[in-house]
Amino acid sequence: MNESARVAVVGAGAVGLTTAFDLAERGARVTLFERDAPGGGSTGRAAGICYDAYAEDIDVAVADRAMARFRSLSGEGGFTFHETPYVFLAREGDDAAAAALEESVERMRVHDRAVSLVGADELADRFPIRTDDVLLAGVAENAGWADPAAYADLFVEKCESAGVEFRVGDAVSLRTDPPGVAVDDVVTARFDAVVVAAGVHSRRLLADAGHPIALKPYRAQALVADCDYRGPTVYDATDESYLRPHPGGVLAGDGVEPVEPDPDDWDPTADDWFVADALDAVRHRATVGDAGGSELELDRAWAGLCGATPDRNPLVGAVADGVYVAAGWHGHGFMWSPAIGERLAEAVLGDGRASIPDAFDPRRFDGDEEFAVVEGMTLDGE
Ligand SMILES: Cc1cc2nc3c(=O)[nH]c(=O)nc-3n(C[C@H](O)[C@H](O)[C@H](O)COP(=O)(O)OP(=O)(O)OC[C@H]3O[C@@H](n4cnc5c(N)ncnc54)[C@H](O)[C@@H]3O)c2cc1C
């Protein structure tokens, strides 16, 4: 496709905004369609945790590029990337998690990740967190966090400077032969290619246009609590919870619900059980040294949707001639978006496959597969 191609991007989350900018930077004439506000979907609800602690070649390549780009963007507009190590741990008595952790750290090190395996004492020497219950921990140095809303704001500005046309306020539907986008069944314009980056709504959009994809939404939750936490990002594999420093104190999350919500009718408020559990998890981990977890006060809590696929790899690439999808991130869509935008832009403007690995090809599934949702943050390095 020639570089001055007309491309529609549907969805102004982290993925759609980055892709729209990367397409425009390469000369494409881009229109970005967003039904609500840019960054107002899952992106505005994400915890913003980023790391390169992966064990598969493609995940490592994507994470490496994403981390480098986050760092190079840091300081632009209101966006900051905060360098913060990522600690993932198994508690005493959880031998299965410790074994999985050890194995995943070994695989990460084969891929040259800066990850070490430490015991409770070494962890206590380094970080102001409770460690007396820790059996084994991994520490990933190449990690940090950023505010996903600030990233979205920055990319709105960058898209505008690069000439991307924004069409905000209408939910669009798809036309696939030829590629196009319609509002209230009226086709808005012809495009050479359409990229669907509509998060968990991508499934319905594509299915209505005759291209089912294997994507299931699931609900995840997070909260911000007021306290003085200056420790690392911590994922407790035994408790299946995480926390990271936040300007307001601490951000804690998980609360994954094992039921499939309707992406157009779901509860965006956090459940009481989640708030109680997450505050307990913070009190448990952040009560030593400078952490001051005992002074904990809930600031706000919320829920959001993530997308799952049968094999936990995302769906990135063409589903039909000139029609592309980028969805199914298992809770990693923010941290991968800087790398996915570039690869997708090159694929759309190049030969359609150039920089997207087969492992991400959305057509590896028929779209009608039965599968159970496995959430993103686990110990197997994915
Ligand atoms: C509680 C929670 C914590 C998370 N923490 C992390 C984390 O720490 N790190 C991480 O990497 N990821 C995290 N995630 C996952 C992350 O939020 C997503 O993977 C990421 O935001 C996906 O971005 P996206 O651009 O694909 O989708 P979205 O941000 O959902 O954007 C899709 C956009 O498409 C628009 N849209 C949908 N349908 C239409 C239509 N028909 N017409 C026009 N527009 C449409 C929507 O309004 C939306 O703005 C978390 C998610 C949750 C819920």
Side-chain angles (χ1 to χ4, degrees), residues 10-16 33-37 39-50 170-173 197-201 205 220-222 242 302-306 326-327 329 331-336:
V10 181
V15 176
F33 295 88
E34 167 56 52
R35 69 179 196 177
D36 297 322
S42 298
T43 296
R45 296 171 173 272
I49 295 166
C50 310
D170 290 312
V172 303
S173 56
V200 290
H201 295 91
L205 261 173
Q221 305 180 64
Y242 64 82
W302 65 91
L305 298 184
C306 294
W329 311 110
H332 295 139
F334 174 67
M335 70 173 97
W336 280 19

Side-chain angles (χ1 to χ4, degrees), residues 104-195:
S104 69
V105 167
E106 227 165 78
R107 288 167 57 218
M108 290 171 195
R109 291 174 83 161
V110 168
H111 286 87
D112 289 332
R113 303 300 86 192
V115 182
S116 51
L117 211 50
V118 297
D121 292 346
E122 212 178 318
L123 200 60
D125 286 346
R126 209 172 145 193
F127 299 114
I129 54 172
R130 176 175 169 185
T131 62
D132 61 352
D133 65 334
V134 172
L135 177 56
L136 195 63
V139 181
E141 307 296 340
N142 188 15
W145 61 270
D147 176 8
Y151 181 89
D153 288 348
L154 174 62
F155 270 86
V156 168
E157 278 171 35
K158 290 172 82 68
C159 281
E160 283 169 346
S161 309
V164 172
E165 181 195 354
F166 278 80
R167 297 279 297 270
V168 174
D170 290 312
V172 303
S173 56
L174 275 190
R175 298 292 178 270
T176 58
D177 192 18
V181 163
V183 176
D184 293 333
D185 268 345
V186 178
V187 174
T188 62
R190 292 283 167 214
F191 293 95
D192 298 303
V194 178
V195 176

